[in-house]
Amino acid sequence: MAEKKLILNDPDSGKSAELPVRTGTTGPDAADISSLYREHGLFTYDPGFVSTASCRSDITFIDGDQGLLMYRGYSIEELAQHSTFLEVAYLSLYGELPKKTQLEEFTDSIRYHTMIHEALKSFFRGFHYDAHPMAMMTGVVGSLSAFYHDSLDITDARAQEIFAHRMIAKMPTIAACAYKHSIGQPFIYPRNDLAYCENFLHMLFAVPCEEYEVDPVAAQALDMLFILHADHEQNASTSTVRLAGSSGTNPYAAMAAGIACLWGPAHGGANEAVLNMLEEVGDVSQIPKYIEKAKDKNDPFRLMGFGHRVYKNYDPRATVIRGMCHKLLKRMGKENDPLFELALELEQRALNDDYFKEKKLYPNVDFYSGIIYKALGLQTNMFTVMFAIARTVGWVAHWQEMTNDPEQRIGRPRQIYTGPAQRKYVPLNKRG
Ligand code: SDX
Protein backbone atom coordinates (compact mmCIF):
# COMPACT_ATOMS: atom_id res chain seq x y z
CA MET A 1 0.00 0.00 0.00
CA ALA A 2 1.41 3.44 -0.95
CA GLU A 3 2.85 5.33 2.00
CA LYS A 4 0.39 7.96 3.28
CA LYS A 5 1.65 11.54 3.04
CA LEU A 6 0.61 14.92 4.43
CA ILE A 7 1.18 17.78 1.99
CA LEU A 8 1.75 21.24 3.52
CA ASN A 9 1.51 24.22 1.16
CA ASP A 10 2.49 27.84 1.96
CA PRO A 11 0.63 29.98 -0.65
CA ASP A 12 2.68 33.08 0.23
CA SER A 13 6.08 31.54 -0.39
CA GLY A 14 4.81 28.88 -2.80
CA LYS A 15 6.81 26.39 -0.75
CA SER A 16 5.38 22.95 0.06
CA ALA A 17 6.40 20.05 2.29
CA GLU A 18 5.52 16.37 2.02
CA LEU A 19 5.41 14.61 5.40
CA PRO A 20 5.21 10.84 5.71
CA VAL A 21 2.24 9.71 7.80
CA ARG A 22 2.80 6.91 10.34
CA THR A 23 -0.01 4.46 11.08
CA GLY A 24 -0.28 2.27 14.19
CA THR A 25 -2.33 -0.83 14.98
CA THR A 26 -5.23 1.44 15.98
CA GLY A 27 -5.68 5.10 16.95
CA PRO A 28 -4.91 8.35 15.09
CA ASP A 29 -2.31 8.49 12.31
CA ALA A 30 0.76 10.67 12.98
CA ALA A 31 2.46 13.08 10.59
CA ASP A 32 6.20 12.41 10.87
CA ILE A 33 7.68 15.91 11.36
CA SER A 34 11.19 14.75 12.30
CA SER A 35 12.64 16.23 9.04
CA LEU A 36 10.61 19.47 9.15
CA TYR A 37 13.30 21.66 10.73
CA ARG A 38 16.19 20.11 8.80
CA GLU A 39 14.46 20.42 5.41
CA HIS A 40 12.17 23.44 5.94
CA GLY A 41 13.59 25.37 8.92
CA LEU A 42 10.24 25.06 10.70
CA PHE A 43 9.37 23.95 14.26
CA THR A 44 5.96 22.72 15.42
CA TYR A 45 4.43 24.18 18.58
CA ASP A 46 2.41 22.01 20.99
CA PRO A 47 2.59 23.05 24.69
CA GLY A 48 1.61 20.11 26.89
CA PHE A 49 2.02 17.77 23.88
CA VAL A 50 -1.74 17.64 23.26
CA SER A 51 -1.28 16.57 19.61
CA THR A 52 2.23 15.09 19.77
CA ALA A 53 3.19 11.42 19.63
CA SER A 54 6.59 11.24 21.36
CA CYS A 55 7.34 7.63 20.43
CA ARG A 56 5.99 4.36 19.07
CA SER A 57 4.89 1.91 21.75
CA ASP A 58 3.45 -1.63 21.92
CA ILE A 59 2.51 -1.49 25.59
CA THR A 60 -0.74 0.41 26.23
CA PHE A 61 -3.49 2.00 24.15
CA ILE A 62 -6.13 4.51 25.21
CA ASP A 63 -9.10 5.70 23.18
CA GLY A 64 -10.31 8.80 25.04
CA ASP A 65 -13.59 9.09 23.13
CA GLN A 66 -14.52 5.42 23.57
CA GLY A 67 -13.26 5.30 27.16
CA LEU A 68 -11.06 2.35 26.13
CA LEU A 69 -7.86 1.28 27.92
CA MET A 70 -5.91 -1.86 27.01
CA TYR A 71 -2.53 -3.31 28.08
CA ARG A 72 -0.87 -5.28 25.23
CA GLY A 73 -4.32 -5.56 23.60
CA TYR A 74 -6.24 -6.83 26.67
CA SER A 75 -9.01 -4.51 27.97
CA ILE A 76 -8.62 -3.11 31.48
CA GLU A 77 -12.07 -4.45 32.37
CA GLU A 78 -11.06 -8.04 31.51
CA LEU A 79 -7.70 -7.75 33.27
CA ALA A 80 -9.32 -6.24 36.38
CA GLN A 81 -11.84 -9.07 36.45
CA HIS A 82 -9.62 -12.07 35.63
CA SER A 83 -5.94 -11.19 36.15
CA THR A 84 -3.58 -10.33 39.03
CA PHE A 85 -1.15 -7.45 39.40
CA LEU A 86 1.93 -9.67 38.97
CA GLU A 87 0.42 -11.29 35.88
CA VAL A 88 -0.26 -7.79 34.47
CA ALA A 89 3.33 -6.84 35.35
CA TYR A 90 4.59 -9.87 33.39
CA LEU A 91 2.28 -8.97 30.47
CA SER A 92 3.53 -5.36 30.44
CA LEU A 93 7.20 -6.39 30.56
CA TYR A 94 7.19 -9.39 28.21
CA GLY A 95 4.22 -8.63 25.93
CA GLU A 96 2.26 -11.86 26.44
CA LEU A 97 0.17 -13.41 29.24
CA PRO A 98 2.49 -15.85 31.07
CA LYS A 99 2.10 -19.62 31.03
CA LYS A 100 1.79 -21.22 34.48
CA THR A 101 5.51 -21.97 34.85
CA GLN A 102 6.47 -18.52 33.56
CA LEU A 103 4.21 -16.83 36.10
CA GLU A 104 5.60 -19.04 38.89
CA GLU A 105 9.20 -18.18 37.93
CA PHE A 106 8.37 -14.47 37.65
CA THR A 107 6.58 -14.50 41.03
CA ASP A 108 9.55 -16.29 42.63
CA SER A 109 11.95 -13.72 41.16
CA ILE A 110 9.90 -10.81 42.48
CA ARG A 111 9.65 -12.50 45.90
CA TYR A 112 13.43 -12.98 45.89
CA HIS A 113 14.03 -9.23 45.43
CA THR A 114 11.61 -7.79 48.03
CA MET A 115 14.23 -7.07 50.71
CA ILE A 116 16.14 -3.76 50.65
CA HIS A 117 19.78 -3.24 51.65
CA GLU A 118 19.97 -2.76 55.43
CA ALA A 119 22.00 0.44 54.93
CA LEU A 120 19.00 1.94 53.05
CA LYS A 121 17.02 1.99 56.29
CA SER A 122 19.23 4.75 57.66
CA PHE A 123 17.98 6.96 54.81
CA PHE A 124 14.49 6.93 56.35
CA ARG A 125 15.86 7.93 59.75
CA GLY A 126 17.35 11.01 58.08
CA PHE A 127 13.84 12.28 57.31
CA HIS A 128 11.80 14.12 59.93
CA TYR A 129 8.80 12.00 61.03
CA ASP A 130 6.36 14.31 59.20
CA ALA A 131 8.20 14.18 55.85
CA HIS A 132 5.72 13.46 53.04
CA PRO A 133 6.06 9.77 52.06
CA MET A 134 6.40 10.79 48.40
CA ALA A 135 9.46 12.86 49.34
CA MET A 136 10.93 9.77 51.01
CA MET A 137 10.08 7.58 47.98
CA THR A 138 11.78 10.03 45.60
CA GLY A 139 14.91 10.18 47.74
CA VAL A 140 15.25 6.49 48.58
CA VAL A 141 14.49 5.20 45.06
CA GLY A 142 17.00 7.67 43.62
CA SER A 143 19.61 6.30 46.02
CA LEU A 144 19.10 2.70 44.83
CA SER A 145 21.56 3.47 42.00
CA ALA A 146 24.24 3.73 44.68
CA PHE A 147 23.52 0.19 45.86
CA TYR A 148 23.09 -1.69 42.59
CA HIS A 149 26.19 -1.21 40.46
CA ASP A 150 25.61 -4.62 38.81
CA SER A 151 22.60 -3.43 36.81
CA LEU A 152 24.14 -0.25 35.42
CA ASP A 153 24.85 -1.62 31.93
CA ILE A 154 21.51 -0.52 30.51
CA THR A 155 22.13 -2.21 27.15
CA ASP A 156 22.45 -5.66 28.74
CA ALA A 157 19.12 -7.57 28.56
CA ARG A 158 19.70 -9.45 31.82
CA ALA A 159 20.66 -6.22 33.64
CA GLN A 160 17.47 -4.60 32.32
CA GLU A 161 15.42 -7.55 33.59
CA ILE A 162 17.05 -7.58 37.04
CA PHE A 163 16.43 -3.82 37.32
CA ALA A 164 12.75 -4.29 36.36
CA HIS A 165 12.22 -7.12 38.84
CA ARG A 166 14.06 -5.27 41.63
CA MET A 167 11.93 -2.14 41.14
CA ILE A 168 8.60 -4.01 41.11
CA ALA A 169 9.69 -6.07 44.13
CA LYS A 170 11.17 -3.31 46.28
CA MET A 171 8.63 -0.51 45.83
CA PRO A 172 6.16 -1.99 48.39
CA THR A 173 9.00 -2.55 50.89
CA ILE A 174 10.26 1.03 50.48
CA ALA A 175 6.69 2.36 50.70
CA ALA A 176 6.01 0.40 53.87
CA CYS A 177 9.26 1.73 55.42
CA ALA A 178 8.21 5.30 54.56
CA TYR A 179 4.83 4.70 56.23
CA LYS A 180 6.32 3.04 59.32
CA HIS A 181 8.84 5.90 59.67
CA SER A 182 6.03 8.47 59.49
CA ILE A 183 4.14 6.79 62.35
CA GLY A 184 7.20 5.94 64.44
CA GLN A 185 6.82 2.17 64.23
CA PRO A 186 9.60 -0.38 63.48
CA PHE A 187 10.08 -1.60 59.90
CA ILE A 188 8.56 -5.00 59.13
CA TYR A 189 10.52 -7.36 56.88
CA PRO A 190 8.87 -8.85 53.77
CA ARG A 191 7.75 -12.47 54.11
CA ASN A 192 8.27 -15.03 51.36
CA ASP A 193 5.18 -17.02 52.37
CA LEU A 194 2.86 -14.12 51.45
CA ALA A 195 1.65 -13.03 48.00
CA TYR A 196 2.54 -9.57 46.69
CA CYS A 197 -0.34 -7.48 48.11
CA GLU A 198 -0.69 -9.59 51.28
CA ASN A 199 3.04 -9.06 51.89
CA PHE A 200 2.66 -5.31 51.39
CA LEU A 201 -0.31 -5.02 53.77
CA HIS A 202 1.60 -7.08 56.31
CA MET A 203 4.63 -4.73 56.08
CA LEU A 204 2.30 -1.73 56.44
CA PHE A 205 0.14 -2.84 59.36
CA ALA A 206 1.92 -5.65 61.27
CA VAL A 207 3.78 -4.83 64.52
CA PRO A 208 6.46 -7.02 66.18
CA CYS A 209 4.43 -7.57 69.35
CA GLU A 210 1.54 -9.56 67.88
CA GLU A 211 0.43 -11.66 64.91
CA TYR A 212 -1.22 -9.73 62.06
CA GLU A 213 -3.75 -11.49 59.83
CA VAL A 214 -4.09 -9.89 56.38
CA ASP A 215 -7.72 -9.40 55.30
CA PRO A 216 -8.01 -11.27 51.96
CA VAL A 217 -10.74 -8.85 50.82
CA ALA A 218 -8.39 -5.90 51.35
CA ALA A 219 -5.56 -7.70 49.55
CA GLN A 220 -7.81 -8.53 46.60
CA ALA A 221 -9.06 -4.91 46.40
CA LEU A 222 -5.47 -3.63 46.49
CA ASP A 223 -4.41 -6.07 43.78
CA MET A 224 -7.17 -4.81 41.51
CA LEU A 225 -6.31 -1.17 42.22
CA PHE A 226 -2.71 -1.90 41.27
CA ILE A 227 -3.87 -3.48 37.99
CA LEU A 228 -5.91 -0.36 37.19
CA HIS A 229 -2.96 1.96 37.90
CA ALA A 230 -0.21 -0.13 36.28
CA ASP A 231 0.20 1.84 33.05
CA HIS A 232 -1.38 4.59 30.98
CA GLU A 233 0.71 5.17 27.82
CA GLN A 234 2.60 8.51 27.68
CA ASN A 235 1.26 10.21 30.84
CA ALA A 236 3.41 12.90 32.47
CA SER A 237 5.37 10.62 34.83
CA THR A 238 6.00 7.92 32.21
CA SER A 239 7.12 10.57 29.73
CA THR A 240 9.42 11.89 32.48
CA VAL A 241 10.95 8.44 32.92
CA ARG A 242 11.44 8.14 29.15
CA LEU A 243 13.00 11.60 28.87
CA ALA A 244 15.29 11.07 31.87
CA GLY A 245 16.18 7.58 30.61
CA SER A 246 16.93 8.88 27.10
CA SER A 247 20.14 10.49 28.43
CA GLY A 248 21.38 7.00 29.41
CA THR A 249 21.19 7.82 33.12
CA ASN A 250 21.02 5.14 35.80
CA PRO A 251 17.53 3.55 35.53
CA TYR A 252 16.88 3.93 39.27
CA ALA A 253 17.46 7.68 38.88
CA ALA A 254 14.96 7.74 35.98
CA MET A 255 12.41 6.03 38.27
CA ALA A 256 12.95 8.71 40.94
CA ALA A 257 12.20 11.35 38.30
CA GLY A 258 8.94 9.57 37.50
CA ILE A 259 7.97 9.44 41.19
CA ALA A 260 8.68 13.16 41.56
CA CYS A 261 6.46 13.96 38.57
CA LEU A 262 3.63 11.66 39.68
CA TRP A 263 3.46 13.53 43.02
CA GLY A 264 1.89 16.62 41.43
CA PRO A 265 -1.83 17.22 42.20
CA ALA A 266 -2.61 17.49 38.48
CA HIS A 267 -1.33 13.90 38.09
CA GLY A 268 -0.97 11.12 40.65
CA GLY A 269 -1.23 13.51 43.58
CA ALA A 270 -4.89 13.99 42.66
CA ASN A 271 -6.07 10.98 44.74
CA GLU A 272 -4.74 12.66 47.89
CA ALA A 273 -6.19 16.01 46.70
CA VAL A 274 -9.63 14.40 46.16
CA LEU A 275 -9.82 13.21 49.79
CA ASN A 276 -8.69 16.62 51.02
CA MET A 277 -11.32 18.22 48.75
CA LEU A 278 -14.11 15.94 50.01
CA GLU A 279 -13.13 16.73 53.60
CA GLU A 280 -13.15 20.47 52.73
CA VAL A 281 -16.59 20.22 51.07
CA GLY A 282 -17.76 18.51 54.24
CA ASP A 283 -21.36 17.67 53.37
CA VAL A 284 -23.90 17.59 50.56
CA SER A 285 -25.23 21.07 51.37
CA GLN A 286 -21.87 22.58 50.36
CA ILE A 287 -21.71 20.88 46.95
CA PRO A 288 -23.35 23.72 44.94
CA LYS A 289 -20.84 26.22 46.39
CA TYR A 290 -17.86 24.08 45.41
CA ILE A 291 -19.19 23.30 41.94
CA GLU A 292 -19.53 27.05 41.35
CA LYS A 293 -15.96 27.55 42.63
CA ALA A 294 -14.73 24.88 40.20
CA LYS A 295 -16.42 26.72 37.31
CA ASP A 296 -15.13 30.15 38.34
CA LYS A 297 -12.10 31.08 36.19
CA ASN A 298 -10.91 33.45 38.90
CA ASP A 299 -10.99 30.74 41.54
CA PRO A 300 -7.98 28.35 41.57
CA PHE A 301 -10.23 25.60 42.99
CA ARG A 302 -10.70 22.63 40.67
CA LEU A 303 -12.88 19.58 41.13
CA MET A 304 -10.04 17.15 41.85
CA GLY A 305 -10.49 13.71 40.34
CA PHE A 306 -12.41 15.22 37.42
CA GLY A 307 -11.19 15.80 33.88
CA HIS A 308 -8.49 14.14 31.83
CA ARG A 309 -6.21 15.06 28.95
CA VAL A 310 -7.20 11.99 26.97
CA TYR A 311 -10.53 10.70 28.31
CA LYS A 312 -13.40 12.83 27.03
CA ASN A 313 -15.69 10.09 28.28
CA TYR A 314 -15.70 8.11 31.51
CA ASP A 315 -12.24 6.90 32.59
CA PRO A 316 -12.88 3.12 32.44
CA ARG A 317 -10.76 2.70 35.59
CA ALA A 318 -13.06 5.06 37.52
CA THR A 319 -16.03 2.92 36.54
CA VAL A 320 -14.33 -0.25 37.85
CA ILE A 321 -13.16 1.45 41.07
CA ARG A 322 -16.62 2.95 41.70
CA GLY A 323 -18.08 -0.55 41.53
CA MET A 324 -15.36 -1.82 43.86
CA CYS A 325 -16.14 0.89 46.39
CA HIS A 326 -19.68 -0.36 46.87
CA LYS A 327 -18.58 -4.01 47.27
CA LEU A 328 -15.56 -3.35 49.50
CA LEU A 329 -17.24 -0.83 51.82
CA LYS A 330 -20.19 -3.25 52.20
CA ARG A 331 -17.80 -6.16 52.97
CA MET A 332 -16.04 -3.95 55.51
CA GLY A 333 -19.32 -2.79 57.06
CA LYS A 334 -18.64 0.77 55.93
CA GLU A 335 -21.32 0.99 53.21
CA ASN A 336 -22.58 4.23 54.74
CA ASP A 337 -19.13 5.81 54.53
CA PRO A 338 -19.98 9.55 54.52
CA LEU A 339 -17.12 10.41 52.16
CA PHE A 340 -18.31 7.83 49.63
CA GLU A 341 -21.87 9.13 49.87
CA LEU A 342 -20.58 12.68 49.38
CA ALA A 343 -18.45 11.59 46.39
CA LEU A 344 -21.42 9.89 44.73
CA GLU A 345 -23.59 13.02 45.17
CA LEU A 346 -20.81 15.35 44.01
CA GLU A 347 -20.28 13.18 40.92
CA GLN A 348 -23.98 13.24 40.05
CA ARG A 349 -24.28 17.00 40.49
CA ALA A 350 -21.17 17.67 38.39
CA LEU A 351 -22.20 15.25 35.62
CA ASN A 352 -25.53 17.07 35.35
CA ASP A 353 -23.93 20.50 35.21
CA ASP A 354 -23.58 22.12 31.75
CA TYR A 355 -20.03 23.34 32.44
CA PHE A 356 -18.74 19.82 33.07
CA LYS A 357 -20.81 18.37 30.22
CA GLU A 358 -19.60 20.95 27.68
CA LYS A 359 -15.95 20.52 28.70
CA LYS A 360 -16.37 16.71 28.82
CA LEU A 361 -15.08 16.53 32.38
CA TYR A 362 -15.75 13.08 33.84
CA PRO A 363 -14.44 11.36 36.99
CA ASN A 364 -10.97 9.93 36.45
CA VAL A 365 -9.06 7.12 38.17
CA ASP A 366 -8.26 9.34 41.15
CA PHE A 367 -11.81 10.29 42.06
CA TYR A 368 -12.72 7.08 43.93
CA SER A 369 -9.39 5.38 44.63
CA GLY A 370 -8.70 7.43 47.77
CA ILE A 371 -11.96 6.27 49.34
CA ILE A 372 -10.81 2.67 49.04
CA TYR A 373 -7.31 3.45 50.33
CA LYS A 374 -8.90 5.19 53.34
CA ALA A 375 -11.18 2.18 53.91
CA LEU A 376 -8.04 -0.02 53.86
CA GLY A 377 -6.67 2.04 56.74
CA LEU A 378 -4.13 4.16 54.84
CA GLN A 379 -3.42 7.78 55.76
CA THR A 380 -4.14 10.28 52.95
CA ASN A 381 -0.51 11.18 52.27
CA MET A 382 0.15 7.51 51.37
CA PHE A 383 -2.38 7.49 48.50
CA THR A 384 0.01 8.70 45.80
CA VAL A 385 2.61 6.24 47.08
CA MET A 386 0.12 3.47 46.22
CA PHE A 387 -0.19 4.92 42.72
CA ALA A 388 3.63 4.94 42.42
CA ILE A 389 3.91 1.26 43.43
CA ALA A 390 1.48 0.26 40.68
CA ARG A 391 2.83 2.64 38.04
CA THR A 392 6.35 1.25 38.54
CA VAL A 393 5.23 -1.54 36.18
CA GLY A 394 4.51 0.99 33.41
CA TRP A 395 7.61 3.02 34.14
CA VAL A 396 10.00 0.04 33.89
CA ALA A 397 8.22 -1.36 30.81
CA HIS A 398 8.41 2.00 29.01
CA TRP A 399 12.01 2.59 30.13
CA GLN A 400 12.98 -0.80 28.69
CA GLU A 401 11.04 -0.18 25.43
CA MET A 402 12.65 3.26 25.07
CA THR A 403 16.15 1.93 25.82
CA ASN A 404 15.79 -0.82 23.19
CA ASP A 405 14.10 1.38 20.54
CA PRO A 406 16.48 1.82 17.56
CA GLU A 407 14.74 5.11 16.72
CA GLN A 408 15.31 6.45 20.22
CA ARG A 409 17.62 9.49 20.69
CA ILE A 410 18.11 11.80 23.66
CA GLY A 411 14.92 13.84 24.11
CA ARG A 412 15.71 17.48 23.41
CA PRO A 413 12.67 19.64 22.45
CA ARG A 414 13.14 23.08 20.84
CA GLN A 415 11.21 26.31 21.61
CA ILE A 416 9.74 29.54 20.26
CA TYR A 417 12.09 32.21 21.64
CA THR A 418 10.20 35.29 22.89
CA GLY A 419 12.98 36.97 24.89
CA PRO A 420 14.97 40.18 24.03
CA ALA A 421 16.71 40.48 20.65
CA GLN A 422 20.53 40.48 20.85
CA ARG A 423 21.85 43.58 22.65
CA LYS A 424 25.21 45.01 23.86
CA TYR A 425 26.44 44.55 27.44
CA VAL A 426 26.18 47.76 29.56
CA PRO A 427 28.94 48.16 32.17
CA LEU A 428 27.70 48.71 35.75
CA ASN A 429 28.88 52.32 35.91
CA LYS A 430 26.83 53.15 32.80
CA ARG A 431 23.50 51.74 34.01
CA GLY A 432 22.34 54.92 35.66
C1 SDX B 1 -4.02 11.30 36.26
O1 SDX B 1 -2.27 11.51 31.65
C2 SDX B 1 -2.69 10.50 32.29
O2 SDX B 1 -2.96 9.45 31.72
C3 SDX B 1 -2.82 10.69 33.79
C4 SDX B 1 -3.43 9.53 34.58
C5 SDX B 1 -2.54 8.31 34.54
O3 SDX B 1 -3.07 7.20 34.75
O4 SDX B 1 -1.30 8.46 34.40
O5 SDX B 1 -4.70 9.21 34.05
C6 SDX B 1 -3.58 9.90 36.06
O6 SDX B 1 -3.21 12.17 36.39
C7 SDX B 1 -5.50 11.62 36.20
C8 SDX B 1 -5.80 13.16 36.32
C9 SDX B 1 -5.76 13.52 37.80
N1 SDX B 1 -5.82 14.98 37.97
C10 SDX B 1 -6.94 15.56 38.47
O7 SDX B 1 -7.99 14.98 38.76
C11 SDX B 1 -6.77 17.06 38.72
C12 SDX B 1 -8.01 17.81 38.21
N2 SDX B 1 -8.02 17.74 36.75
C13 SDX B 1 -7.42 18.81 36.01
O8 SDX B 1 -6.36 19.46 36.61
C14 SDX B 1 -7.29 18.52 34.51
O9 SDX B 1 -8.50 18.00 34.13
C15 SDX B 1 -6.18 17.60 34.03
C16 SDX B 1 -4.84 18.02 34.54
C17 SDX B 1 -6.44 16.20 34.45
C18 SDX B 1 -6.18 17.67 32.49
O10 SDX B 1 -5.71 18.92 32.12
P1 SDX B 1 -5.75 19.40 30.60
O11 SDX B 1 -5.97 18.28 29.66
O12 SDX B 1 -4.56 20.27 30.37
O13 SDX B 1 -7.07 20.24 30.54
P2 SDX B 1 -7.15 21.76 30.91
O14 SDX B 1 -6.49 22.02 32.23
O15 SDX B 1 -6.69 22.54 29.72
O16 SDX B 1 -8.72 21.92 31.10
C19 SDX B 1 -9.57 22.09 29.97
C20 SDX B 1 -10.70 22.99 30.49
C21 SDX B 1 -10.19 24.26 31.18
O17 SDX B 1 -11.19 25.25 31.03
P3 SDX B 1 -10.95 26.37 29.85
O18 SDX B 1 -9.61 27.01 30.12
O19 SDX B 1 -10.98 25.59 28.55
O20 SDX B 1 -12.12 27.32 30.03
O21 SDX B 1 -11.45 22.28 31.52
C22 SDX B 1 -11.31 22.94 32.75
C23 SDX B 1 -10.12 23.87 32.64
O22 SDX B 1 -10.28 25.01 33.50
N3 SDX B 1 -11.06 21.90 33.76
C24 SDX B 1 -11.59 21.86 34.97
C25 SDX B 1 -11.11 20.67 35.54
N4 SDX B 1 -10.29 20.05 34.68
C26 SDX B 1 -10.26 20.82 33.58
N5 SDX B 1 -12.43 22.70 35.62
C27 SDX B 1 -12.79 22.34 36.86
N6 SDX B 1 -12.37 21.21 37.49
C28 SDX B 1 -11.53 20.37 36.85
N7 SDX B 1 -11.10 19.25 37.47
Side-chain angles (χ1 to χ4, degrees):
M1 186 171 85
E3 188 189 45
K4 284 186 191 175
K5 290 197 179 301
L6 175 66
I7 313 289
L8 299 176
N9 282 314
D10 175 5
D12 297 340
S13 66
K15 285 185 180 174
S16 70
E18 258 194 26
L19 299 176
V21 172
R22 300 270 192 122
T23 302
T25 311
T26 179
D29 285 350
D32 182 338
I33 57 168
S34 50
S35 63
L36 199 59
Y37 177 62
R38 188 176 59 252
E39 291 173 11
H40 304 279
L42 200 62
F43 289 158
T44 59
Y45 180 61
D46 183 16
F49 310 119
V50 178
S51 306
T52 296
S54 60
C55 62
R56 292 174 310 135
S57 180
D58 301 346
I59 301 170
T60 293
F61 178 72
I62 303 171
D63 181 321
D65 296 324
Q66 302 296 321
L68 168 72
L69 165 60
M70 56 187 193
Y71 299 156
R72 301 283 189 179
Y74 297 97
S75 77
I76 195 65
E77 291 85 354
E78 282 206 289
L79 291 170
Q81 189 178 355
H82 302 299
S83 188
T84 64
F85 178 61
L86 283 190
E87 182 176 81
V88 163
Y90 183 98
L91 172 66
S92 302
L93 286 175
Y94 299 101
E96 297 296 336
L97 289 170
K99 295 182 175 57
K100 189 168 180 302
T101 49
Q102 289 169 321
L103 184 57
E104 285 165 358
E105 284 162 17
F106 180 69
T107 303
D108 287 344
S109 175
I110 296 299
R111 184 180 289 128
Y112 176 76
H113 286 295
T114 48
M115 283 177 72
I116 58 175
H117 195 292
E118 284 295 304
L120 258 180
K121 296 185 177 174
S122 56
F123 277 73
F124 293 97
R125 296 189 182 97
F127 291 104
H128 202 266
Y129 75 94
D130 62 355
H132 195 291
M134 282 298 280
M136 292 191 250
M137 295 300 289
T138 306
V140 172
V141 168
S143 73
L144 289 177
S145 51
F147 288 83
Y148 298 115
H149 303 296
D150 61 349
S151 56
L152 289 181
D153 173 3
I154 60 173
T155 61
D156 173 74
R158 181 61 189 139
Q160 289 181 8
E161 187 174 50
I162 293 174
F163 155 71
H165 291 197
R166 272 185 175 141
M167 277 309 305
I168 294 168
K170 294 181 192 309
M171 282 294 277
T173 310
I174 295 168
C177 287
Y179 175 64
K180 287 301 202 184
H181 176 73
S182 70
I183 58 173
Q185 285 188 1
F187 300 144
I188 300 295
Y189 284 101
R191 277 178 36 184
N192 288 350
D193 62 320
L194 295 177
Y196 191 84
C197 287
E198 282 82 354
N199 203 2
F200 179 42
L201 288 169
H202 184 263
M203 290 188 282
L204 281 173
F205 299 124
V207 287
C209 27
E210 61 187 29
E211 281 303 306
Y212 176 78
E213 277 301 307
V214 175
D215 175 353
V217 173
Q220 198 272 332
L222 194 55
D223 197 84
M224 188 188 283
L225 281 172
F226 283 174
I227 290 173
L228 297 172
H229 286 81
D231 192 40
H232 215 236
E233 63 159 60
Q234 305 309 319
N235 60 86
S237 55
T238 300
S239 297
T240 300
V241 168
R242 279 179 169 262
L243 187 59
S246 72
S247 74
T249 190
N250 179 290
Y252 297 98
M255 292 298 121
I259 295 172
C261 177
L262 184 76
W263 191 3
H267 189 15
N271 54 19
E272 176 177 354
V274 166
L275 251 291
N276 294 335
M277 173 187 74
L278 291 173
E279 282 163 0
E280 182 185 341
V281 172
D283 68 56
V284 173
S285 65
Q286 295 301 303
I287 289 178
K289 171 185 147 193
Y290 280 90
I291 286 199
E292 288 314 308
K293 279 169 65 70
K295 292 156 60 174
D296 178 357
K297 281 274 153 277
N298 300 317
D299 191 322
F301 176 83
R302 281 201 160 177
L303 208 53
M304 302 313 279
F306 261 75
H308 198 277
R309 171 63 58 76
V310 177
Y311 290 122
K312 299 310 171 192
N313 193 323
Y314 247 88
D315 180 336
R317 302 166 299 176
T319 308
V320 175
I321 294 178
R322 189 168 182 265
M324 270 174 72
C325 269
H326 280 289
K327 269 177 56 186
L328 182 73
L329 293 172
K330 198 171 175 63
R331 287 287 300 266
M332 298 178 100
K334 301 176 179 175
E335 58 269 37
N336 300 319
D337 179 301
L339 283 177
F340 183 49
E341 300 293 322
L342 181 60
L344 285 171
E345 183 61 26
L346 180 57
E347 177 192 34
Q348 283 318 304
R349 302 276 188 95
L351 291 178
N352 290 304
D353 183 286
D354 290 341
Y355 172 92
F356 291 88
K357 283 194 278 192
E358 279 153 27
K359 292 182 187 296
K360 298 186 177 179
L361 301 174
Y362 292 90
N364 59 50
V365 68
D366 294 300
F367 188 66
Y368 283 106
S369 55
I371 291 166
I372 295 184
Y373 291 141
K374 188 169 174 21
L376 297 180
L378 285 156
Q379 58 193 37
T380 308
N381 67 10
M382 280 292 291
F383 292 3
T384 309
V385 172
M386 309 304 275
F387 197 147
I389 293 169
R391 189 51 57 86
T392 297
V393 162
W395 291 335
V396 296
H398 280 275
W399 174 84
Q400 199 162 15
E401 184 177 68
M402 178 277 300
T403 304
N404 299 329
D405 180 350
E407 281 194 315
Q408 185 53 46
R409 309 165 70 184
I410 186 167
R412 204 276 184 220
R414 302 303 300 273
Q415 63 175 17
I416 296 174
Y417 175 65
T418 54
Q422 189 165 6
R423 52 186 171 168
K424 294 295 287 172
Y425 180 80
V426 178
L428 184 57
N429 59 12
K430 298 217 181 316
R431 292 177 203 160

